[in-house]
Amino acid sequence: GIFPPTEPVRQEIDFIVERQSTLTALLPEIDRQLLPLPGSPQVRLLNREVSQALYASLVGANPSAQRRDGYPVDSVSYGEAERFCQLLGWALGAKVRLPTVAELSRAAGDVTRPPAPTQAWTFANGDGINTHAVASGSPNAAGFHDVLGNVEEWTLAAPTATEATVAGGSVGWLAEPGFPAKVVPKREKSRILGFRILVE
């Protein structure tokens, strides 16, 4: 009765209490999947896209068009990705956010040549529509999976902006040199659009 149900502190406490057993099982695994970001060792980036199972365990629902627990969550808007970041931040007791385009590009490593087929699910080694399980390909030199290919990923934008950049290409990307990125409305949802998170 100290905090009204609408108070952010009350919402955070309720979330942690309600999901205590789930968080106890999840947090060690998430911690193992966080790697130092090249050039910024003080922050850590998830080494794979957020899976449908992880998303559903925190948010309580799976919005994906292609529903398989081990696959990347898809069909999430920018706001829904930010909400996930908030919930995970409560669970970790740390600031969790979407990476910037520059941070995601650094995680991609050398993009002067097309990615190796073993490291990126693109139109070259798939049907251009269906995604693949997270971390099912080989990691790049920095230890990150699918920074290129599989699903496009939301990147951080100003709170007042109505658009944000999605980057990294998808299963429909014609793999070529460079780091693919495009600007879309924050309300955009697509079966080839997901995200990963960064912890400060």
Side-chain angles (χ1 to χ4, degrees):
I2 298 173
F3 301 109
T6 56
E7 278 287 316
V9 173
R10 169 70 180 273
Q11 293 176 358
E12 181 175 349
I13 292 169
D14 287 349
F15 171 77
I16 292 171
V17 170
E18 289 168 6
R19 288 177 170 77
Q20 186 172 8
S21 59
T22 299
L23 295 176
T24 300
L26 279 178
L27 294 184
E29 185 63 23
I30 293 172
D31 190 63
R32 283 192 290 274
Q33 294 171 3
L34 289 166
L35 298 179
L37 180 69
S40 300
Q42 70 278 14
V43 299
R44 296 186 298 161
L45 183 69
L46 197 66
N47 74 349
R48 62 198 64 200
E49 300 136 330
V50 170
S51 71
Q52 296 179 30
L54 177 56
Y55 185 90
S57 67
L58 295 188
V59 177
N62 181 2
S64 301
Q66 308 175 66
R67 294 201 175 185
R68 295 180 183 172
D69 282 352
Y71 282 56
V73 67
D74 65 70
S75 306
V76 288
S77 68
Y78 183 91
E80 289 167 334
E82 280 208 315
R83 175 61 175 164
F84 177 88
C85 290
Q86 180 185 42
L87 297 178
L88 184 56
W90 288 350
L92 293 175
K95 182 177 179 181
V96 176
R97 62 172 173 83
L98 296 171
T100 65
V101 176
E103 288 167 337
L104 202 56
S105 178
R106 289 209 308 272
D110 182 8
V111 293
T112 58
R113 286 180 283 184
T118 56
Q119 292 183 341
W121 296 112
T122 67
F123 192 78
N125 57 1
D127 60 11
I129 299 171
N130 293 296
T131 59
H132 299 262
V134 298
S136 58
S138 303
N140 65 17
F144 295 100
H145 297 269
D146 299 321
V147 183
L148 295 168
N150 215 16
V151 292
E152 297 174 318
E153 300 180 27
W154 286 112
T155 63
L156 189 66
T160 55
T162 59
E163 296 178 320
T165 299
V166 295
S170 70
V171 291
W173 176 51
L174 296 171
E176 58 186 9
F179 188 66
K182 64 183 180 182
V183 176
V184 300
K186 284 184 173 180
R187 66 180 181 276
E188 181 85 5
K189 293 186 179 186
S190 164
R191 62 186 286 139
I192 54 169
L193 176 54
F195 67 101
R196 75 180 69 212
I197 56 89
L198 181 146
V199 179
E200 293 184 320

